Every structure is written in C-alpha cells, then in structure tokens.
Amino acid sequence: MKRLGVNIDHIATLRNARGENHPSIFDTAKLAMKYGADSITIHLREDRRHIVDKDLTNIKKIKNIFINLEIAATNEMLKIAIKNKPNFVCIVPEK
C-alpha cells in the first residue's frame, strides 16, 4: 500500500517571510491529515530558518499524527529527536 507524506516546511517559509503566525503550521498539518496524508514531514534546521522547535511541539499535539522529523546529524538535533519522539527521523546533511 502506498502512503502519502506531506512536507510542510515551506508553509513555515511563508509564515516567517510574513513575520506573522499565518499560515499556521499546526492548521496545515491537521488539514493535510484530514484530507488523506499518512504522515507530516518537517525539517528542523540548525538555523531554524523554516520550522522552529515550537512547531514540532505543537504538531505533536495532533491526535493520530505520524511525524517524520528531518534533522542534521548533530548532538543538538539528536537530543531534540529523543525528547520529542517522532515516528520517523531522517538525517539530512546541512553543511
């Protein structure tokens, strides 16, 4: 069975460019799941230029959500992954 994972990083790019809380990462994740996504992918970069720690914390509150967390291979990111316990972790080179 094929599964659909939706990466919502660039929703955060829009939000950050606007300097507001819109569009909402939380609402986007909920809508994606409602309309058939099997998982949500977010890339927590070391410089936090898209997704920020609070986004991960908020998305975790959504019931029955599967989170794929993309992170760099650093001790800081490893600690965040261990603390938040996403369903999947993908190591992505940044530097």
Side-chain angles (χ1 to χ4, degrees):
M1 179 176 178
K2 294 182 181 179
R3 297 180 188 223
L4 175 65
V6 177
N7 186 319
I8 61 173
D9 286 352
H10 292 296
I11 300 298
T13 303
L14 271 174
R15 175 199 62 196
N16 297 348
R18 291 176 174 171
E20 308 176 345
N21 288 324
H22 179 76
S24 166
I25 296 297
F26 181 82
D27 291 345
T28 301
K30 281 181 65 171
L31 284 171
M33 296 299 290
K34 178 180 176 181
Y35 290 110
D38 296 298
S39 65
I40 297 297
T41 296
I42 57 175
H43 184 173
L44 184 63
R45 294 178 182 270
E46 292 177 88
D47 63 6
R48 308 305 198 271
R49 69 177 173 237
H50 301 301
I51 298 294
V52 295
D53 300 62
K54 185 177 176 183
D55 294 326
L56 174 57
T57 302
N58 288 337
I59 290 171
K60 281 182 13 181
K61 295 175 185 175
I62 301 171
K63 277 189 160 192
N64 301 319
I65 192 166
F66 286 90
I67 299 172
N68 176 33
L69 179 62
E70 295 181 337
I71 57 172
T74 66
N75 286 331
E76 176 195 16
M77 292 294 146
L78 178 60
K79 288 176 186 176
I80 290 169
I82 290 170
K83 177 183 172 188
N84 288 281
K85 297 178 177 63
N87 302 90
F88 310 99
V89 173
C90 180
I91 304 299
V92 180
E94 284 191 42
K95 295 178 182 171

